[in-house]
Amino acid sequence: PSSRPVAVPPNFDAAGNVTVMGRVELPVHLWWSEPSRSFDMESVRDRKRVCELVLSEGDESDVLHYVRFEDLRAWWTELFLPRHVREAWEMAYPQLTNRH
């Protein structure tokens, strides 16, 4: 819930982070609710879901491993995120809300 800290890596937009591609299985600390923790990172739908899970449940290393900043920028308004997560990211990266 909202009392848990939100992992927002500093300089994430310029990090040039390397992210996984292909089929991945998320660790239990990121996704424990369904029988399958497998996601196809080539699928936009699956990548969006992974973004939502990682931003809500992950730590900084998870964010750097699974999430691309350009994806966040493209999908920001479409992602289903808890309010405190969205606010923390928007405070750190106001360019997420700037669609120009």
Side-chain angles (χ1 to χ4, degrees):
S2 61
S3 62
R4 191 171 50 221
V6 177
V8 182
N11 301 316
F12 180 63
D13 59 335
N17 59 310
V18 176
T19 57
V20 294
M21 293 304 290
R23 186 154 290 281
V24 299
E25 185 163 320
L26 292 182
V28 174
H29 74 275
L30 293 175
W31 186 237
W32 56 88
S33 297
E34 290 188 10
S36 174
R37 294 187 331 262
S38 181
F39 295 86
D40 179 3
M41 298 301 281
E42 302 296 327
S43 159
V44 170
R45 181 175 166 254
D46 279 7
R47 249 182 22 245
K48 283 181 181 179
R49 185 65 182 132
V50 167
C51 283
E52 293 168 343
L53 293 168
V54 171
L55 295 184
S56 298
E57 303 297 334
D59 59 25
E60 285 189 19
S61 65
D62 294 321
V63 172
L64 292 171
H65 187 68
Y66 292 104
V67 178
R68 291 189 219 156
F69 189 79
E70 57 269 18
D71 287 346
L72 289 186
R73 243 186 98 108
W75 306 329
W76 189 248
T77 59
E78 302 168 30
L79 296 176
F80 181 73
L81 298 169
R83 181 178 305 193
H84 72 283
V85 172
R86 185 172 298 279
E87 288 172 353
W89 275 87
E90 289 176 355
M91 283 183 63
Y93 297 101
Q95 62 269 44
L96 290 171
T97 61
N98 183 359
R99 307 292 286 168
H100 308 324

